[in-house]
Amino acid sequence: LLYKLCTITSHILSYSLLLILSSYSSVALVLLWLLMTTFTHLLHTNFCSSKGLELIYQAVMGVILTFTFFNVKGQDTKVLMTIYYIFNFLINVTAPVLLALLKPEQQTLLLVVGCLIGGGSVLGLGSLILYYLYLHPREKSCEADEVDGMGKETKSMRRMRIFLQP
């Protein structure tokens, strides 16, 4: 919880700073959403039963990935998560730097928000690293869960399948 709360908050503050700088930053956010949606599309997700619903799912995942990392396909994410958070870090660093360069008269805002962005990023990513070092289960489980089951359809799986049918 601490990891998500801190990383999402610092990322939203970064986006807010970029929007303070210029309304054209909203175009960059739309481009970022398109990039994340395209990334989800390239993963060849198969969450929905129809192509139209799958495209909507990918667009929604694009919005989520614009703000925080989400395991879209349910597979190993070590490399993808590392790339994502490097990209996230670059955005979080760029926003205060641009504010300092382009609007030097707002030094108080820069100091407060810059510290919140930096602190949130460090605390969030530190929590993530501590979780994966000490709390994340390392052994592979052969036990089926409700989502991918071993051929036995549970009541909630049936409900989800009916919900996703066009």
Side-chain angles (χ1 to χ4, degrees), residues 81-141:
M81 188 180 267
T82 303
I83 292 169
Y84 178 85
Y85 280 110
I86 288 171
F87 187 67
N88 188 336
F89 175 77
L90 291 174
I91 291 172
N92 286 351
V93 167
T94 301
V97 168
L98 284 175
L99 183 69
L101 293 174
L102 299 175
K103 297 210 177 195
E105 66 276 1
Q106 295 187 351
Q107 290 299 321
T108 307
L109 175 68
L110 173 66
L111 184 62
V112 172
V113 177
C115 288
L116 287 173
I117 290 171
S121 295
V122 168
L123 188 59
L125 293 176
S127 299
L128 176 68
I129 291 167
L130 287 174
Y131 169 76
Y132 276 106
L133 285 176
Y134 298 110
L135 300 173
H136 191 268
R138 287 177 176 42
E139 64 275 346
K140 298 285 182 188
S141 175

Side-chain angles (χ1 to χ4, degrees), residues 64-79:
I64 292 171
L65 287 170
T66 300
F67 294 99
T68 188
F69 183 80
F70 186 80
N71 189 354
V72 176
K73 204 157 178 197
Q75 58 192 21
D76 186 29
T77 60
K78 188 182 224 177
V79 173

